[in-house]
Amino acid sequence: MVVLSIAVLLLSEAVVALPIVAVDADPGMPGIQATRTVAAGSSFTVDLVIGPVALSEAISGWELDLHMDPTRLLATGVTNGAFLPGAIDLETDLLPPDVNLARLAVSTPVSGAGVLATIDLDALAPGVVVLDLRNVVLSGPGGVLVGFADLESATLTLVPEPGSTVLALAGLAAVASLRRTR
Amino acid sequence: MMKWLLLPVALLALGAGPCGPAVAPAPAPDANDDGVVNVLDAAFVQSCTPVPDVSVVPACSAADTDGDGAVDSADLAVVINHFGIRVRVAGDLHVAGIGVAAPFADVSGAVGGSFVWSAASPDQDLRAAPGALSWATPAGSLSATLVRTNAPRRIDLTTGRPIRGDAPADATCTTGAGPDCASAGAPEAANPAAFDALCIEETSIFGCPLEFYQDLTTPGFFPVPMTTIFASILAGDNAPATLGGPTWFSALAPTSASFDTAVAAAAPFIAPCATCPPGTTYFDLVSASFRPSTIVALERGPEDGPAALESDYPPGVVVTPGIATLALLSGADPFLSAAQESLFGCGPFFDRSCDILGLHLFHSEAGAVLEALLPAAELRCGRIDAVGTWHVLPGCRGSADPGYDPLVDGSIARVNPYDGSSFRSETGAASWNFSQLQARISPDLDPLDPFAAAGCNLQFPETCNGAVELLSNSTLTLADDPSGPPQRRWLWELGAEYLVAATSGDLAPYQGWSLFALGPEQPRLAGAQAGVAFLLQAPAGTTVPNTTPFLVRYPGADGATGTPDDPFRGAAYGETP
């Protein structure tokens, strides 16, 4: 598992000139989680994060697409992150198979690191799903393109609902019991 | 008379100039003029806000996206309202057509010119409203007028039945009899002319497996049409056990010199084997490696169709009684449901037996035909409905997909013969068989070493030219394509058709040709932002000098290039840096 810490990203700002944009599959865990196991049928969130953004390359806007398997995941909502506080919503499109987002800062450009947005997801069916970042564009003041060093996707493993597993096991046990009785 | 005198006064009163009525300028949301409306445009407009009079600050004139002479919040609103549209693609034109049968299998040729393709107006997406298209070379130019736009084939998401291209957006086709159901001659969303232009060598199965039917039914050759043989391979060459065996290949007549001659004449795409020892026959090449190791027998389900009959062959088709019946019993019709067959462009939904008349790539679903060749993570074979829900198409679903119905989608208990991995769906297994056929007759496959460590390898059919060229006729759309999924589609389901209306210099020979702009797509060249596959098709009877840029000649009926019967077309690949 690849674990990148926002703190490390911040500390390394002087060394790494260009930021990384990543999917944090498990915002409840420290650092940036590239993988997570989730029960099908459950709802959960992932974060889209960025860092380190150098002061000289401060961001005044961003856009990206988050691509996923719509047969297994359904995006149900988006909450703006703290990286661009009060940002203008240029685009919020949850039409599968992509979540398309774009935000514009209302005032001064921002450096450092933080959460761009939090995505609400429903796990529909078991399977492995890659949350893939695509078409990422970072804008500096005046519409100047800002480069990035890397895009970090995340991989989700969606497992059968615990309830259904219990039911299946109970059913099997019942069948076995019946056979023994006969 | 009085009315004419008063008209200019009236127009002036409405704000018109002396030359005609005033027309408000179309919004120009692409403020930085890079062809796409995105966050960079928004940031640019924001940085100029407010500018009460752009004539005083010329650097901000492009930020006046609504054209009212000032930059304010309304200009940002214009950007937001048009966010994501692609108003123009432009860049270099590379020489394509190096692989003649599949002109876009290799688009890395030298730059021979440039192109500009714009939307009909600066506030529209060129993919929904294509406009001006022009080419330029150092010695010539070309401009074209729009004929039609292309879109993915339309399907009822519940039944899998095809829908007319001109039907309303919410059209359905439940039984095949409704007014919106596709029928012969009805308008198509995909472009049949682009398909014909791409698949001009109709008997080639490298780039375009179409109908193998007519030219390949030759007395002395297989006594069963190749159409039937290929459909049987699609289903896994799966003759019923009651008929004595899994493969009807073994029931064919022994090879002979006359057989080889007939195959060479009728099926030139089966390349001679330079490395084979003397005495190796075409029969060896075709039949040696399919069963039992490389193709997967499909399972017959209750909703799979009846086998076609020998009497279904059109008059004049020479078949061997009994052998043909055996072949038809092992064909695609009895092993695939109507919805599954429709994904390969044939079956009851198209009133076209897959075994008698063959698959039809034009009507097929790229994501189903190509499934075995695509990366596992790539979404395929699906559409979005009117409320934004993703649907895997009927016939294409696996057990994990919503709506999976074994009667429609078939059994999924089939595994890859090499690594034991499960196919996602039964059509995935059929696609695998199709890929094996493509690989098996690929000219770069060494029949004596079909599992070569380097080069074409049956276990990895995507390594073979046949598969590469087939894939090259498909495309991956860019993000935010207004026509929506499928992202993977055939080239004739994307872009637009033009007529070359004005030319000069060395592009003058293309005057009056059809120009297909098949894109924009995810680029085939590294480092590019977008790509467009361009194909030029000549009207009948056209002659053209060999010096014409982007001209590709390919073998005519004599199988050789450089002879007078060579057909030709133009092919180029546009790259947006």
Side-chain angles (χ1 to χ4, degrees), chain B residues 213 224-225 228 309-317 319 324 327-328 355-357:
Chain B
Y213 165 69
V224 175
T228 306
L309 305 173
E310 285 182 9
S311 57
D312 294 335
Y313 285 110
V317 176
V319 297
L328 292 170
D355 297 325
I356 299 291
L357 294 177

Side-chain angles (χ1 to χ4, degrees), chain B residues 209-499:
Chain B
L210 302 180
E211 305 172 54
F212 311 102
Y213 165 69
Q214 294 94 338
D215 298 334
L216 302 179
T217 308
T218 306
F221 179 39
F222 283 148
V224 175
M226 289 292 273
T227 299
T228 306
I229 296 173
F230 291 158
S232 179
I233 291 170
L234 184 77
D237 195 7
N238 189 3
T242 52
L243 288 171
T247 173
W248 66 270
F249 260 124
S250 61
L252 290 172
T255 183
S256 66
S258 63
F259 171 86
D260 280 3
T261 304
V263 172
F269 52 83
I270 301 177
C273 174
T275 58
C276 293
T280 301
T281 67
Y282 278 97
F283 182 83
D284 295 333
L285 302 185
V286 173
S287 66
S289 60
F290 280 125
R291 286 293 298 243
S293 61
T294 71
I295 58 177
V296 180
L298 304 188
E299 184 176 327
R300 184 161 196 185
E303 292 299 309
D304 293 338
L309 305 173
E310 285 182 9
S311 57
D312 294 335
Y313 285 110
V317 176
V318 178
V319 297
T320 301
I323 297 293
T325 293
L326 184 58
L328 292 170
L329 285 171
S330 66
D333 292 343
F335 285 91
L336 293 171
S337 71
Q340 289 176 311
E341 286 192 305
S342 74
L343 298 169
F344 292 89
C346 54
F349 291 176
F350 292 104
D351 194 21
R352 172 193 178 93
S353 163
C354 295
D355 297 325
I356 299 291
L357 294 177
L359 323 181
H360 200 312
L361 212 58
F362 177 71
H363 294 295
S364 73
E365 179 72 17
V369 173
L370 299 172
E371 172 151 0
L373 302 171
L374 300 177
E378 184 181 312
L379 281 172
R380 66 207 68 172
C381 210
R383 300 284 191 281
I384 290 178
D385 65 17
V387 297
T389 304
W390 174 272
H391 295 263
V392 179
L393 298 182
C396 217
R397 296 169 295 212
S399 60
D401 295 323
Y404 169 68
D405 180 349
L407 296 180
V408 175
D409 302 298
S411 164
I412 45 91
R414 292 291 176 271
V415 298
N416 183 301
Y418 296 105
D419 61 18
S421 62
S422 296
F423 291 110
R424 193 189 60 79
S425 62
E426 189 171 54
T427 46
S431 170
W432 168 262
N433 292 340
F434 191 73
S435 73
Q436 290 295 290
L437 172 63
Q438 285 283 331
R440 189 61 194 84
I441 58 178
S442 192
D444 58 337
L445 179 73
D446 182 351
L448 301 181
D449 187 12
F451 303 104
C456 181
N457 183 326
L458 282 179
Q459 184 176 353
F460 306 105
E462 65 276 12
T463 60
C464 302
N465 279 352
V468 170
E469 295 185 356
L470 180 67
L471 273 168
S472 77
N473 279 327
S474 74
T475 179
L476 272 172
T477 59
L478 295 171
D480 297 323
D481 193 291
S483 62
Q487 191 176 42
R488 171 74 64 176
R489 58 180 84 167
W490 297 117
L491 274 171
W492 48 87
E493 298 178 284
L494 183 66
E497 177 182 344
Y498 284 80
L499 178 69

Side-chain angles (χ1 to χ4, degrees), chain B residues 13-204:
Chain B
L14 290 170
C19 298
V23 177
D30 182 20
N32 63 2
D33 198 32
D34 65 352
V36 61
V37 179
N38 62 8
V39 68
L40 301 179
D41 301 293
F44 173 55
V45 171
Q46 186 191 49
S47 70
C48 284
T49 304
V51 172
D53 183 354
V54 291
S55 65
V56 179
V57 189
C60 283
S61 60
D64 177 20
T65 58
D66 61 5
D68 66 355
V71 182
D72 50 29
S73 60
D75 298 291
L76 184 58
V78 168
V79 174
I80 294 173
N81 290 337
H82 297 85
F83 203 85
I85 69 168
R86 189 169 291 271
V87 298
R88 185 183 70 254
V89 289
D92 293 333
L93 276 177
H94 291 258
V95 174
I98 297 169
V100 169
F104 304 114
D106 181 358
V107 295
S108 61
V111 173
S114 60
F115 77 101
V116 179
W117 185 19
S118 305
S121 70
D123 60 342
Q124 290 183 296
D125 192 305
L126 74 88
R127 295 165 291 188
L133 171 61
S134 61
W135 285 14
T137 65
S141 65
L142 167 162
S143 63
T145 55
L146 181 69
V147 175
R148 59 158 287 171
T149 55
N150 311 328
R153 76 189 191 102
R154 299 186 59 189
I155 312 157
D156 183 301
L157 298 180
T158 303
T159 65
R161 290 182 179 274
I163 291 176
R164 295 169 61 100
D166 60 350
D170 59 351
T172 60
C173 180
T174 306
T175 65
D180 294 333
C181 295
S183 57
E188 302 274 4
N191 189 332
F195 172 76
D196 288 344
L198 271 167
C199 300
I200 198 160
E201 294 183 294
E202 290 203 352
T203 55
S204 166

Side-chain angles (χ1 to χ4, degrees), chain A residues 37-172:
Chain A
T37 299
V38 178
S42 65
S43 300
F44 62 103
T45 63
V46 299
D47 280 351
L48 308 178
V49 299
I50 188 171
V53 178
L55 194 57
S56 59
E57 301 273 316
I59 302 290
S60 61
W62 57 268
E63 71 174 89
L64 57 80
D65 298 339
L66 185 66
H67 184 77
M68 65 190 75
D69 180 348
T71 64
R72 293 184 167 79
L73 277 182
L74 178 68
T76 58
V78 177
T79 306
N80 281 354
F83 184 74
L84 290 184
I88 299 168
D89 184 347
L90 298 174
E91 182 182 47
T92 299
D93 181 356
L94 304 185
L95 206 59
D98 296 307
V99 172
N100 311 117
L101 301 174
R103 299 290 185 268
L104 182 67
V106 287
S107 54
T108 55
V110 177
S111 59
V115 177
L116 298 173
T118 298
I119 314 295
D120 303 321
L121 297 166
D122 286 350
L124 302 177
V128 176
V129 183
V130 176
L131 289 171
D132 197 15
L133 285 167
R134 299 178 176 182
N135 306 308
V136 175
V137 180
L138 305 178
S139 175
V144 176
L145 186 66
V146 174
F148 50 84
D150 199 9
L151 302 176
E152 303 276 357
S153 299
T155 302
L156 302 176
T157 302
L158 310 180
V159 297
E161 295 176 71
S164 63
T165 308
V166 169
L167 281 176
L169 290 174
L172 285 173

